[in-house]
Amino acid sequence: MSSSDTTSPAVLEQLRQRSVDPKRRTLFTGATIVTMDAGLGVLHGADLLVEGDTITAIGTGLDRDGAVLVDAAGTILTPGFVDTHRHAWETQLRRIMPDVDDLGAYVMSTLAGYATVYRPHDMYVGTKLAALTAIDSGITTMLDFSHNSRTPEHSDAAVQALIDTGIRGVHASMGPHFGGWDKQWPGDLARLKDTYFAGDDQLLTLRLAALATDEIAGPALAYGPSLARTAKDLGIGVSVDAVFGASSSTAILNWAKDGLLGPDLTLIHATGLTGEAWKAIGAGGTTIALAPTSDAQIGLETAIPAIDEALAVGVRPGLSIDVEVALVSDMFTQMRALHAIQRMRAVNAVHGTEQPPSRITTHDVLDFATLQGARTNGLAGVTGSLTPGKKADLLVIRAEDLNNMPLNDAVGTVVLGSDARNISAVLINGTPRKWNGQVLDVDLPALRAEVHASREYVLNTPAL
């Protein structure tokens, strides 16, 4: 069988015939493969075999018998990026406050204002736009921290948007900060689980979302023994936002005393925490989601992403986008921002001395954006690396494009050179979601009309 590359409509058509052959074999050939698997490393001129939705082999000269062949010469194959925290419902308000002053300005304009008028349809539109944009930029797994669940229908709409886009979605459900709502959360989590998350082998997973303290929205949304018990009873993980400063440090120590820290708990931001709190996080094996551009641009607590603090206690964090009302929507920017900020601080800390700086590498930030993000979302056994047995969530990045050629270092090229325009193909669970540089199955004029109409409704409806 002749092979074609990821611009070929004929190859795409063969790959999309999964309903005819659920175990269809797809062989990517001749690629530079950045596996992010410590045992496999980076392979040059190598092949990757996908059978159905699963990676089954990586190496050279793999058996081509019966496979759809995809010529991947001149490309880099990587795992899809993993976003560990994004408030997807806000996406039709993109960059509405690009020079946000501080957290308070964001909270009052967005959470106390725009959020209060959102209909279920607006939840759907924002979440759908966020997920499609994530796919376009190579994010194959997105945790939607959905903290505007005013009614069961609002939650249903957010989950349905994840389903409709085909992303590997994590729906982290939380009640709203302000305004009227049905008070169905967290009780509605049981219904959501039974309705959408009953299967073990599916694209969607469910988490409980909460805040670190009661300072912003009161005690009902603050993580503690009651919410921890709810999550444990449902068998789901917990993601906690607004983790920063002295009050969150005190809360973390209290959680440690109550036995509430652990790998199923993710703390988001984690800026300005005390050394004692970090020791408890490390000892408990708790995961961390850093938001490099959010911390720096919004000025959360110290405004410095807590990468050195995390690494010092043995925690390798995941990365996240956070809020598109003031921030970018892609993982390339998160990797570069963290890489630059940490290396700047490392050199500055020893400037004028003979001590060598302790700098992170491009491999580190790619690890955070892939494998560690998957671990943070509770999906390390499913995605995050190109490992036989894991699901086929992968990117095909053109290495010979104008901004990438010549290929000298694959990891460096992905982290420092590439962007969404270089992503020729995105596969999620073995299904093509982007091909020949275009996100598939999107009626862009219809989506644009839907997004604009939702935005106009939200902006022109008085806050409740």
Side-chain angles (χ1 to χ4, degrees):
M1 184 182 297
S2 62
S3 66
S4 299
D5 62 17
T6 51
T7 67
S8 169
V11 170
L12 174 62
E13 183 60 29
Q14 292 181 73
L15 296 183
R16 301 186 85 177
Q17 292 177 358
R18 285 268 297 280
S19 59
V20 177
D21 181 6
K23 292 297 183 181
R24 179 176 297 279
R25 301 174 80 244
T26 305
L27 185 65
F28 294 85
T29 63
T32 298
I33 304 179
V34 177
T35 68
M36 300 313 295
D37 181 311
L40 295 173
V42 177
L43 293 81
H44 302 278
D47 305 339
L48 182 145
L49 180 63
V50 176
E51 297 188 49
D53 60 9
T54 303
I55 300 167
T56 56
I58 298 176
T60 56
L62 296 183
D63 180 18
R64 301 186 173 200
D65 185 41
V68 177
L69 300 181
V70 183
D71 181 3
T75 72
I76 304 168
L77 267 58
T78 73
F81 301 131
V82 179
D83 184 356
T84 59
H85 154 240
R86 183 192 307 226
H87 303 297
W89 60 267
E90 303 176 9
T91 310
Q92 59 269 69
L93 302 175
R94 278 177 171 162
R95 270 71 74 182
I96 200 167
M97 49 192 313
D99 298 308
V100 57
D101 292 330
D102 54 25
L103 178 62
Y106 160 73
V107 167
M108 296 312 297
S109 68
T110 305
L111 303 183
Y114 303 128
T116 64
V117 305
Y118 262 65
R119 305 162 296 179
H121 176 69
D122 303 307
M123 295 289 290
Y124 177 85
V125 172
T127 305
K128 180 179 179 180
L129 180 59
L132 291 172
T133 303
I135 292 170
D136 186 43
S137 64
I139 294 169
T140 54
T141 302
M142 182 183 77
L143 184 143
D144 174 22
F145 196 110
S146 192
H147 59 357
N148 199 20
S149 297
R150 298 186 175 275
T151 68
E153 292 75 22
H154 282 70
S155 296
D156 291 341
V159 174
Q160 191 62 51
L162 299 177
I163 294 171
D164 290 350
T165 59
I167 198 165
R168 191 175 297 282
V170 183
H171 177 74
S173 177
M174 191 181 93
H177 295 66
F178 306 104
W181 61 296
D182 283 0
K183 309 292 183 180
Q184 82 289 351
W185 181 91
D188 194 44
L189 284 165
R191 179 191 68 85
L192 286 172
K193 183 179 180 183
D194 291 342
T195 303
Y196 300 105
F197 305 92
D200 294 327
D201 187 17
Q202 59 180 35
L203 283 173
L204 298 184
T205 51
L206 178 67
R207 288 174 78 89
L208 183 150
L211 300 179
T213 66
D214 61 7
E215 294 170 290
I216 298 176
L221 303 180
Y223 181 63
S226 177
L227 290 179
R229 189 160 46 250
T230 296
K232 184 177 180 180
D233 290 345
L234 291 171
I236 61 176
V238 179
S239 294
V240 180
D241 203 355
V243 181
F244 28 68
S247 58
S248 289
S249 298
T250 299
I252 289 166
L253 294 177
N254 289 333
W255 301 337
K257 291 177 184 176
D258 292 335
L260 303 184
L261 298 181
D264 292 332
L265 176 67
T266 297
L267 306 183
I268 301 166
H269 297 294
T271 46
L273 300 180
T274 64
E276 290 77 13
W278 274 109
K279 289 177 183 176
I281 291 169
T286 304
T287 59
I288 297 292
L290 297 183
T293 59
S294 178
D295 293 339
Q297 186 162 336
I298 300 177
L300 301 179
E301 194 64 26
T302 62
I304 300 171
I307 180 60
D308 293 313
E309 293 85 344
L311 294 177
V313 296
V315 176
R316 294 186 68 80
L319 302 183
S320 73
I321 305 301
D322 201 358
V323 293
E324 290 193 60
V325 295
L327 303 166
V328 299
S329 56
D330 69 283
M331 192 59 70
F332 294 106
T333 301
Q334 306 307 323
M335 291 190 291
R336 288 169 188 160
L338 186 62
H339 187 254
I341 290 170
Q342 193 280 336
R343 289 170 71 88
M344 174 188 70
R345 293 186 69 210
V347 173
N348 180 261
V350 298
H351 180 67
T353 75
E354 297 298 319
Q355 297 179 10
S358 179
R359 291 180 281 200
I360 60 173
T361 67
T362 52
H363 188 278
D364 284 323
V365 293
L366 186 55
D367 178 51
F368 303 154
T370 55
L371 183 58
Q372 301 310 321
R375 184 179 62 85
T376 300
N377 282 352
L379 295 170
V382 175
T383 189
S385 66
L386 301 182
T387 301
K390 287 192 178 184
K391 298 303 182 183
D393 296 351
L394 61 89
L395 313 181
V396 181
I397 299 173
R398 293 188 296 264
E400 293 299 326
D401 280 358
L402 185 63
N403 60 312
N404 279 342
M405 67 177 179
L407 179 60
N408 294 313
D409 183 285
V411 172
T413 297
V414 172
V415 173
L416 300 179
S418 301
D419 54 48
R421 65 185 151 157
N422 304 121
I423 300 174
S424 181
V426 174
L427 272 67
I428 301 176
N429 216 40
T431 298
R433 295 298 178 184
K434 182 176 182 177
W435 193 263
N436 193 20
Q438 298 295 318
V439 179
L440 300 174
D441 303 322
V442 178
D443 183 340
L444 193 56
L447 177 63
R448 186 177 293 118
E450 200 172 36
V451 169
H452 281 260
S454 175
R455 181 193 65 175
E456 293 309 304
Y457 173 83
V458 171
L459 294 185
N460 292 295
T461 303
L464 301 177

